[in-house]
Amino acid sequence: MKFDSLDFYQEHARRYSDLSHEFTHSVYTDSSPTGLAGDMDLLKRIVKLAPGRRGLDAGCGAGARDVHLLNTWGYQAYGVDAVEENISLAKGLHPEISDLIQVADLREPLPFDDASFDFVTCNAVIQHLAPETTEQTTLPELTRVLAPDGVLQLMFKVGSGVVTVEDKAYGSHSVARTFQLYSEHRLLEVLKELGCTLVDASGKEELGGLMYFSDIKPMRYCVFWVRKGNS
């Protein structure tokens, strides 16, 4: 299955960045658990779970919002994205992180050493990749660059097969977009083979385990954290 995501982001990078920085598309509905209201809840939680302050946003998107936020919070965060327009736009918006972001395709090996990061986020990215690529290249690379005891956050559209939906947020006409859906249980199996285990909720007020929510399209998502073993 060939996705047109690169063309989409090349054409709509500015609009995507505006929506991201406004957080208008970052509010969740029908969330389980109830304490999961949006992107910021995940970001604040992962930095608490991580053993250190060095992170990577794999597929940072147009404007690299989270890379910028994390660095303003005092973390050393880096970002990669496959779309050159997304990185160029981020450098224009946030020149202070220009040296921390670069073009890199998650279908290929990452340009970082083993165990480089205490936490890695990969949000709504693998939905643009074929499952065999995700399992054979993307997830092994994300865990390779993760330090022992480090935490990976994986967010994806959940289900089976491929779906095409109308996205009404871009211009006067809706845009048809095609996404790969994933089984959360299959992804956890792959990550277990890579030495990672699911981070469960540590109490009623803490997020963890398999978490679900819907976006405004609406589409159903799953998000979870896994921790890399020390061996």
Side-chain angles (χ1 to χ4, degrees):
M1 175 63 63
K2 182 180 184 295
F3 299 97
D4 57 359
S5 56
L6 293 182
D7 292 339
F8 170 84
Y9 289 111
Q10 287 166 355
E11 181 178 353
H12 298 285
R14 172 62 68 175
R15 177 62 174 160
Y16 185 94
S17 176
D18 289 344
L19 293 170
S20 175
H21 284 72
E22 293 167 2
F23 283 87
T24 54
H25 282 206
S26 304
V27 178
Y28 307 160
T29 61
D30 301 321
S31 300
S32 174
T34 56
L36 180 60
D39 289 354
M40 289 295 288
D41 294 320
L42 296 172
L43 201 59
K44 291 177 180 178
R45 178 68 172 143
I46 192 173
V47 296
K48 291 182 180 179
L49 291 170
R53 304 181 69 82
R54 187 177 169 93
L56 171 68
D57 188 356
C60 58
R65 180 198 68 189
D66 290 353
V67 178
H68 174 252
L69 275 175
L70 287 165
N71 279 280
T72 63
W73 294 352
Y75 294 87
Q76 187 177 9
Y78 295 76
V80 296
D81 198 277
V83 181
E84 186 174 353
E85 286 82 356
N86 288 351
I87 297 298
S88 296
L89 185 58
K91 290 181 177 181
L93 290 171
H94 307 297
E96 64 274 24
I97 63 169
S98 292
D99 293 339
L100 304 175
I101 53 178
Q102 61 181 294
V103 176
D105 195 326
L106 296 187
R107 296 173 296 183
E108 304 292 338
L110 289 168
F112 303 106
D113 293 335
D114 295 355
S116 290
F117 301 104
D118 300 299
F119 61 95
V120 175
T121 60
C122 186
N123 297 327
V125 178
I126 63 171
Q127 62 202 28
H128 302 304
L129 306 177
E132 57 268 26
T133 300
T134 296
E135 294 188 14
Q136 297 172 14
T137 301
T138 306
L139 293 182
E141 279 296 289
L142 294 180
T143 55
R144 178 186 67 79
V145 301
L146 196 61
D149 204 37
V151 178
L152 167 65
Q153 175 177 300
L154 194 62
M155 179 197 296
F156 49 92
K157 289 178 171 60
V158 66
S160 62
V162 174
V163 64
T164 298
V165 299
E166 296 292 322
D167 194 335
K168 300 179 181 180
Y170 296 90
S172 58
H173 302 286
S174 60
V175 177
R177 305 181 63 188
T178 299
F179 302 104
Q180 175 69 55
L181 305 182
Y182 280 87
S183 162
E184 64 274 49
H185 303 293
R186 173 56 187 165
L187 291 172
L188 283 173
E189 288 178 1
V190 174
L191 288 164
K192 183 178 180 180
E193 294 173 358
L194 293 168
C196 298
T197 56
L198 181 67
V199 176
D200 289 318
S202 58
K204 291 184 179 180
E205 302 302 321
E206 298 289 1
L207 299 175
L210 295 175
M211 300 171 285
Y212 301 89
F213 66 91
S214 298
D215 68 5
I216 65 172
K217 290 182 188 58
M219 293 196 72
R220 197 67 174 163
Y221 286 76
C222 180
V223 58
F224 57 73
W225 295 293
V226 293
R227 190 178 298 279
K228 184 177 179 178
N230 289 301
S231 58

